[in-house]
Amino acid sequence: MHADAQPLLNIMLDAIINFFGKEPKMHIAILTLTFSLPGCGSLKEKRQRMGGLHARFGSTPSVAVCESGGRARHDASEWTFVIVGLSKREVESQCSQIEEKIERIVDARVMNVEREFI
C-alpha cells in the first residue's frame, strides 16, 4: 500500500471503530490492487482505462475506495478498498467479487493483489 493512503485508511478505520465500539463486531478487510497501464499516454487516458472505479464501487455501503498510489503517473495506479461485513466469509466473498469485476472492466494489468484482514 502506498504511504500516502495510510492516513486516509487510518481515518476510515477510526470512524468504523468509533461507530461500532472499541471491539468492532464487524469484519474488515483492506484490499489493495496495483495496476500497470502499458501504452497509456496521459492521465486522461488513465482515467478512461480505469473505468471509474470510485463511482462503481464507492456507492456500495460496505465498501470505501480510493486511488491510493500512482496518482500522478499515467502508466501505473494503485487502488485500495476497505470492505466491512458481518462475517469473514461475507467480506472474503465481496473481495473476490471486486477482484473479478475489476478484471472484466479495467483496461489495465493487475500486477499485485493484497488482502489484509483486521
Side-chain angles (χ1 to χ4, degrees), residues 20-66:
F20 291 106
K22 295 300 176 197
E23 295 180 29
K25 295 175 178 75
M26 302 296 281
H27 293 263
I28 304 168
I30 300 172
L31 175 65
T32 303
L33 295 103
T34 305
F35 301 92
S36 172
L37 293 103
C40 187
S42 69
L43 292 175
K44 180 179 180 180
E45 181 183 351
K46 174 184 173 178
R47 286 191 303 273
Q48 292 169 343
R49 289 178 60 178
M50 292 307 293
L53 291 180
H54 192 271
R56 289 179 189 266
F57 296 102
S59 61
T60 304
S62 60
V63 177
V65 58
C66 70

